[in-house]
Structures are given as structure tokens and as C-alpha cells.
Amino acid sequence: MGGAAQFLIFIMIIIIIKESFAKAANLEVTPKTLHKSGDKIKLSLTGIAQPSEFDWLGWYNPPDSDHNFFLGYKPLLTCERFQETGTCELDIPLVNMRAPYQFRAFRGKAVNVTDDTPVDEDGDPLPIPEELLAVSANVHFQNYNEPTQIHLALTSDSKEMRVMFVTRDFTTSFAKYGRTRYSMQAISETQMETYSQTDMCHAPANSSDGWRNPGVIHDAVMKNLVPGKRYYYQVGSDAEGWSDTYSFRMAKEDADETYALLFGDMGTTAPYKTYKLLQPESETTIRLMESDIRELQHKAVYISHIGDISYARGYAWLWDEFFHRIQPVASQAAYHVCIGNHEYDWPQQPWRPDWATKLYGTDGGGECGVPYSVRFNMPGNSTVPNSSTRISTRNMFYAHAVGVVHFLYICTETNFLPGSEQLAFIESNLKSVDRTKTPFVVVLGHRPMYTTSRDLKMGQLRALMIEHIEPLLVRYNVNLVLWGHVHKYERTCAIQNYTCADPEDSTKLPVHVIIGMGGQDYQVPWEPRPEHPDKLVFPQKEWSLFRSSEFGYVRLHATRSVLTLNYVGNHDGQIHDVLKISLVEEEEDDDGQFQGWFWALLGLAAVVGSVVALGSVVYVQTSGSLQSCGLVKEDELQVQQDSWAEMRR
């Protein structure tokens, strides 16, 4: 037998062996039909011969997706004893994406990373579908028109509540509601809208790997609600089925208090890795807030998410994952948002001045605000024309009252300079606030005016915000300004132009607080010493009273005289910082030393920044002698924790 014939036989043997390995592999999923979004399947992979470090499992939806266009993946070596047994068993929750799922097991290969290699945000190469080992049966949902992604929002009418949800088809749907779960007699038909792949502005949002059909977004308004009462509701239809029953409490018409949960930059997570990094800490943030809402069941609760919402960044299914995960809180409390760079920014955005070419880049992943605009509907619903798509960008800046607090949302991604519609709106709105009805004013936006984090790209933006927006905050006595973007917590003194208010001065200045610690873990370092930028020493500015890199959110409680903001850490659910803003005169001691004592401790706080993280409280008076600030002991933080617990009852 010649050498050529022997070589041919050898190749045939290798092919037969490989085919036998492939035939031996088996990928089973049970059940094959799920009742509702979030239900789990059990996945069992067996018969993988010679397990490799490059073997991986892919999630696909719809099931005819190209091998390279997965939703997500899981390295099979992360399965227990996969390398020894060639098996993997997983319990996987699936979100109803209005099409069947399919799972595929692959053998990949080593990759030499070059500039052209597809990588994830960690710089690791995406898995290669070199050899298909096994394919599962399709996993269906019982109802692809199941109402999913249910979330509430306030309207401009204090006797209304908006509810939005998603189905696969344009099917006539409703919200039915009433005072008890057994008498939901009122009904409101939904408006319907969707968006298409051609509405996206750039890749990956308009490419085959990033685009998935978003379904149909439904929008109904529940009307003639009685302030202060709890309402029960369902969404859907008799023809296609109804959701579970949810409930919410309306705020009292002349409420003497406000409860809110606020954060930024939360994102979402999923049971797989994908093209972009996910935010697993978001699960803890949601879980803690859900507990707060449950224990505050006799109060109306308001939620505010100030930019960088889902971190989908052009990968459409991450919006599905996000809304599925916030539904436990957003179906019970109004969920309000403002736009961030990761919803909006792209090179052709309408306002992109020369100084912002590096600031406003491609952070939106080609979405150019479209999913954000269609999936949310905020009061006032201000719009900015979008030359790149038929859908104008909505929910850009707006304001509304919640109890004793007037909330004003601004947009840091579009024009706020003199002559702009936004700056005119900000001044007009602040000027119109009736402080007898809403004694506190809170302004919210995404990119911060003040931060000690080192972000060289934002310097010009912050300078212009201080030049043009800050004078309005001061002129109209804004009490508190909340920002996201920086994935940390940081609280300033009452401040204007980088200068803390003098305690002898009666001028009212706002306190700024960064609350971008909702879930995203990318961290910009603190600003180093100017004379030693290469040394990892980060002195705290005198105007920065407290800062922490711990994930969490803030609880706001306001009465007609005091607004309290509590920073809750995710790692323990405890309060780690307290801000109090008081509209009444604080009592001095016999020697009139109240303010001086606090300001002495404020000086200490500027020196021992690491100590501040143990717990602090600031008191800011907005009438009479102004702004007393300082450190307190851990037991006083416990008083705040106990106080919040008492409010729940």
C-alpha cells in the first residue's frame, strides 16, 4: 500500500473518530415549553469526549441565529467536574424574548489576539464556534404575547399612573384596575409602538450580532385614581392572556412627606457572559429596594434611575434582561429615568461641540436614544430631533412634584448653553416652583458637576455646567443635586464654584451627591495629587465630605421641614452616610457652639478621608444660620437605620 493511500486511510479514521465523538455528545433541555418569563429549564450536556478548555455553551434566540451571533455563552470548564466527566448540568432562567431559544455546545480553539480579533470588554477573545458538538431542541414559551417587562411611571396628572409592557404582536391590550384585586372594573386601552433595525444609528445596534426584535411596547394610563389609596391592576387581554396581579399606592394629594429610592448606572445581569460586561451587583440593589418597598407598603414610593440604564449598548436583548429584572420593583412603584451617555451618545448626535468630540463618543452602541425613548414615557416627555433616525429622542428633560419634593431632571448629553431650549426650561421650571407645596427642590442629571474622580474628558463640561447651570441652582434655592456617571458615592458640602458655604453666610447653596453606584463596577480613580500624579495617593478635596466605592443606592425621606438622604451599602444593607437638609433653625447649645463644633469636625473630615467612610452625617439649614456639617459616631448612624425601619411600620 502506497504512502498516499495510507495517509488517506489515516484521515478517514480521524474523521470517523471525530464524528463518533460528535454523535456521542447530547444536549437535553427540560421542559421544552415554559409557562412564563423567568421560568427555568434544566440543561444536561453529556458525552463530550476529551473536554477542552475551549469548549463552550451558547445561548441563541431566535433559534436560526448564525453560530457567531449568540446572546451569550458559558465556558464549559466553569461547570463542576466538566474536565473529568465531559458533562454539565445547569438550571437556567429564561426571559421571554418572543421567540424560541436554542442551546449549542461547541469546541473552540486558541486565538492569538490581534487588533482584528473580536474581544469582550475584558479584552478576552470571544469564543470561536470551531466545531459543533451538540444542539438542543428548541425551548418555547407557552405565550409569546405574554405581557412582560411591566413598569409604572407618573404622568403630569396626580390622579393617574402610567403602565408600560411588551408583547410580541400588535395585539389590542388593556390595563384593568381597581381598589381590590377582586374588583378591577376600570379599563384603559394601550397605545402601541415599536422600533426597527433601521431606526438604529450604528453597529452593533443595527448589525446582525446586536439586533433582536424588541416586540411591541404598550402604554396605558390608569385614570381617576384616588390619591393615597392602593390600586390593583393587570395588563393584557382576554384574547392573549393577562399578567399576574400587581399593586401600587398613589401619593396623597397634599402629602406631607415623600419616599424615594434613587441611584444611577445600575445595568443588568444574565446567566451568561456576552459581548459587553454585565452588572451582577444590580441584583443586590434591586433585592434591597424590593425589601424597602415591601416594608413601606402603606406609603407611596418613587424610584429614580439617573442615566446609564441597562448598559445594553447596542445589544438589544439586554434591554429584555433589564426590564425583566426591575419588574419586581417597577411594577409596584413609579420608575423614573433620565438619559445617560450609554443610552444616547454616538458621533452624529445633534449637539456635539468641538470641545466634546472626545466626550460624546460611541458609548450608546449605535442606539442613539431610540430604545430609551420608546420604552419609557416620562411626564412632559421633552424631545430633541434626531437626524439619524425617524424617532426623536424623548424624555430628555422634565419635572414633576412628588409629595413635598419637586424633582427636575436635566440632560447632560444635549445643549444646556445660553439660548438652548433646555437652559430656558430649567430656569422657567425652577422659577415656577411653589415652595409652599413643595418646599424641597431636587435636581437630577447624569454627568456630575462636581466630582473628585479623575476624568480628564469631563473638565470642560463641568466648567460650562458651573458657569451656566449652577447660577440657576443658587438663584432658585435648589436644595439637593443628584448625579450618576461616576460609579461611586460622593457628597459635597453646600457648594458654589468649588467653595463651601460660609456658616456665617445666609446664602442658600445646594449639596451635590453622586449616586452612580447602582451596579456598574468600572471605576475611575480618585484625582491624585497634582504634584505627584504617578503616586497612588488621593487626598480628599475640602469640598468633598464623604466618598465611597461601595455599591448601593440612596433612600430619600422628606417632610415639610427636613429632607434626609441615606446611603445604603449593598454589602450589608446598612446606612453608611446621612445627609439632612433642614428648613428650620437648629437649636444651639448655651454657648451658641452648635455650628462651630460641626465645622471643626468638617475640617477633620477633609484631613482623614478614610475615616469618613466609617460613617458621617451633614446637617444643612436653609434658613437662618446656614449649613452645619460634620462627622458623627456609628451609633448615630444606627439611629438613622432605626428611624428608617420605624417609617416602614
Side-chain angles (χ1 to χ4, degrees):
M1 183 180 296
Q6 289 178 332
F7 179 76
L8 182 59
I9 292 172
F10 175 77
I11 294 298
M12 292 177 64
I13 291 172
I14 293 298
I15 292 173
I16 291 170
I17 291 173
K18 290 182 70 174
E19 287 180 348
S20 67
F21 285 164
K23 290 177 183 177
N26 187 49
L27 185 53
E28 288 288 336
V29 289
T30 54
K32 294 179 175 59
T33 300
L34 297 177
H35 177 62
K36 65 179 183 177
S37 188
D39 284 354
K40 291 183 178 181
I41 61 162
K42 179 176 286 293
L43 181 146
S44 178
L45 175 65
T46 59
I48 301 297
Q50 299 178 336
S52 161
E53 62 180 301
F54 304 112
D55 294 346
W56 58 281
L57 178 71
W59 276 244
Y60 291 86
N61 188 306
D64 59 355
S65 300
D66 184 275
H67 287 337
N68 290 293
F69 300 153
F70 47 77
L71 300 183
Y73 63 94
K74 181 181 179 66
L76 286 170
L77 276 184
T78 61
C79 294
E80 186 177 359
R81 300 189 64 206
F82 173 74
Q83 196 156 23
E84 294 84 8
T85 65
T87 64
C88 179
E89 291 198 355
L90 300 170
D91 290 323
I92 303 173
L94 296 180
V95 172
N96 189 343
M97 285 183 54
R98 305 159 299 282
Y101 281 82
Q102 188 183 84
F103 295 85
R104 304 172 196 168
F106 293 98
R107 177 145 295 163
K109 65 177 182 178
V111 177
N112 292 321
V113 178
T114 67
D115 291 342
D116 297 325
T117 304
V119 297
D120 63 19
E121 283 189 300
D122 279 330
D124 297 326
L126 294 171
I128 305 296
E130 181 72 7
E131 179 186 353
L132 180 64
L133 301 177
V135 181
S136 77
N138 290 352
V139 179
H140 296 269
F141 279 88
Q142 185 174 317
N143 180 11
Y144 289 114
N145 283 317
E146 171 198 1
T148 61
Q149 307 180 33
I150 298 166
H151 56 287
L152 300 172
L154 301 176
T155 75
S156 299
D157 188 325
S158 63
K159 296 181 181 180
E160 294 179 348
M161 182 68 79
R162 181 182 306 280
V163 59
M164 301 182 74
F165 59 95
V166 173
T167 62
R168 183 186 64 184
D169 302 323
F170 280 89
T171 177
T172 302
S173 299
F174 306 89
K176 61 180 181 180
Y177 53 100
R179 289 285 305 280
T180 76
R181 64 177 65 246
Y182 308 107
S183 61
M184 294 182 285
Q185 301 300 318
I187 194 161
S188 177
E189 186 173 347
T190 67
Q191 301 294 312
M192 292 177 277
E193 187 177 9
T194 190
Y195 52 92
S196 68
Q197 189 170 357
T198 57
D199 291 320
M200 304 294 104
C201 300
H202 203 271
N206 64 2
S207 64
S208 297
D209 56 344
W211 172 256
R212 297 295 187 279
N213 191 312
V216 177
I217 293 90
H218 294 256
D219 185 339
V221 176
M222 296 176 275
K223 300 181 178 182
N224 301 315
L225 307 178
V226 178
K229 301 300 181 182
R230 178 167 293 280
Y231 280 85
Y232 294 82
Y233 72 98
Q234 289 180 291
V235 295
S237 66
D238 290 339
E240 298 291 348
W242 293 91
S243 70
D244 290 341
T245 300
Y246 300 95
S247 73
F248 60 89
R249 183 172 293 277
M250 292 293 292
K252 295 179 180 178
E253 196 156 21
D254 296 314
D256 290 327
E257 60 183 352
T258 300
Y259 292 88
L261 307 172
L262 310 99
F263 53 91
D265 305 74
M266 184 172 71
T268 192
T269 191
Y272 46 72
K273 296 183 68 174
T274 189
Y275 303 88
K276 295 291 186 181
L277 292 181
L278 300 173
Q279 297 76 42
E281 192 64 31
S282 61
E283 286 193 305
T284 304
T285 305
I286 293 169
R287 177 175 54 80
L288 290 172
M289 292 193 299
E290 186 178 7
S291 176
D292 286 345
I293 293 170
R294 183 169 55 250
E295 298 196 36
L296 282 167
Q297 59 180 309
H298 300 300
K299 310 288 185 181
V301 180
Y302 174 81
I303 300 173
S304 181
H305 186 162
I306 52 175
D308 288 2
I309 310 297
S310 70
Y311 282 98
R313 293 166 286 180
Y315 293 96
W317 60 91
L318 294 180
W319 282 107
D320 294 286
E321 296 282 0
F322 169 80
F323 278 106
H324 173 74
R325 281 167 172 75
I326 68 164
Q327 182 170 298
V329 296
S331 60
Q332 300 183 73
Y335 197 103
H336 283 249
V337 294
C338 69
I339 201 165
N341 52 303
H342 286 296
E343 286 75 56
Y344 187 61
D345 290 5
W346 83 103
Q348 286 76 47
Q349 66 193 79
W351 190 64
R352 197 167 183 257
D354 291 342
W355 54 265
T357 53
K358 292 185 178 179
L359 185 71
Y360 300 142
T362 59
D363 291 348
E367 292 183 353
C368 52
V370 172
Y372 168 85
S373 298
V374 178
R375 289 173 174 273
F376 293 105
N377 191 348
M378 299 291 100
N381 203 355
S382 60
T383 62
V384 171
N386 187 337
S387 60
S388 300
T389 175
R390 66 181 178 86
I391 298 176
S392 295
T393 309
R394 309 168 193 168
N395 311 312
M396 295 296 268
F397 40 89
Y398 63 96
H400 60 139
V402 180
V404 296
V405 179
H406 181 87
F407 290 98
L408 166 61
Y409 290 82
I410 67 174
C411 176
T412 59
E413 310 306 301
T414 195
N415 196 350
F416 56 81
L417 300 182
S420 67
E421 180 186 358
Q422 178 170 206
L423 193 66
F425 173 80
I426 292 171
E427 178 160 25
S428 173
N429 184 262
L430 291 176
K431 190 175 183 178
S432 69
V433 176
D434 183 348
R435 301 301 276 260
T436 63
K437 294 182 177 179
T438 52
F440 290 101
V441 175
V442 177
V443 172
L444 310 94
H446 186 59
R447 297 184 195 254
M449 188 180 295
Y450 291 99
T451 175
T452 59
S453 287
R454 190 183 196 188
D455 190 339
L456 302 179
K457 294 187 297 183
M458 285 210 307
Q460 182 68 16
L461 177 76
R462 293 202 302 267
L464 290 170
M465 291 168 70
I466 288 172
E467 180 181 356
H468 300 296
I469 295 178
E470 185 174 61
L472 300 179
L473 306 181
V474 174
R475 182 183 311 161
Y476 296 106
N477 301 325
V478 170
N479 306 104
L480 177 64
V481 189
L482 299 174
W483 306 105
H485 191 66
V486 176
H487 308 142
K488 302 176 183 179
Y489 175 90
E490 183 170 22
R491 171 173 53 78
T492 74
C493 60
I495 193 171
Q496 182 180 16
N497 196 24
Y498 292 100
T499 303
C500 292
D502 191 302
E504 305 299 326
D505 192 350
S506 61
T507 303
K508 302 176 179 68
L509 300 182
V511 175
H512 293 246
V513 185
I514 293 174
I515 56 171
M517 65 293 182
Q520 175 60 274
D521 61 2
Y522 172 75
Q523 295 284 355
V524 175
W526 301 115
E527 187 72 34
R529 295 176 296 176
E531 65 276 18
H532 296 292
D534 57 329
K535 304 293 184 182
L536 296 179
V537 177
F538 309 109
Q540 197 158 347
K541 306 283 188 183
E542 63 276 4
W543 47 265
S544 173
L545 302 188
F546 184 97
R547 60 188 191 181
S548 169
S549 298
E550 168 64 34
F551 293 110
Y553 62 102
V554 297
R555 299 167 177 158
L556 182 151
H557 175 244
T559 66
R560 292 199 166 273
S561 57
V562 178
L563 183 152
T564 303
L565 194 75
N566 293 326
Y567 163 38
V568 180
N570 276 4
H571 72 287
D572 59 4
Q574 300 299 304
I575 294 171
H576 292 267
D577 185 43
V578 180
L579 165 68
K580 280 192 175 183
I581 300 175
S582 176
L583 299 179
V584 297
E585 188 82 30
E586 296 284 351
E587 294 184 4
E588 298 179 349
D589 61 20
D590 293 341
D591 299 320
Q593 296 300 308
F594 178 86
Q595 294 181 29
W597 178 77
F598 272 99
W599 274 94
L601 285 174
L602 173 60
L604 175 64
V607 175
V608 288
S610 61
V611 176
V612 180
L614 296 176
S616 61
V617 61
V618 58
Y619 295 90
V620 178
Q621 292 174 240
T622 58
S623 63
S625 300
L626 186 71
Q627 291 148 348
S628 310
C629 310
L631 288 168
V632 295
K633 298 178 181 179
E634 283 292 321
D635 57 354
E636 295 197 39
L637 284 179
Q638 185 60 48
V639 169
Q640 289 299 319
Q641 188 78 26
D642 295 343
S643 175
W644 179 262
E646 181 63 29
M647 290 181 219
R648 293 168 165 172
R649 291 194 280 272

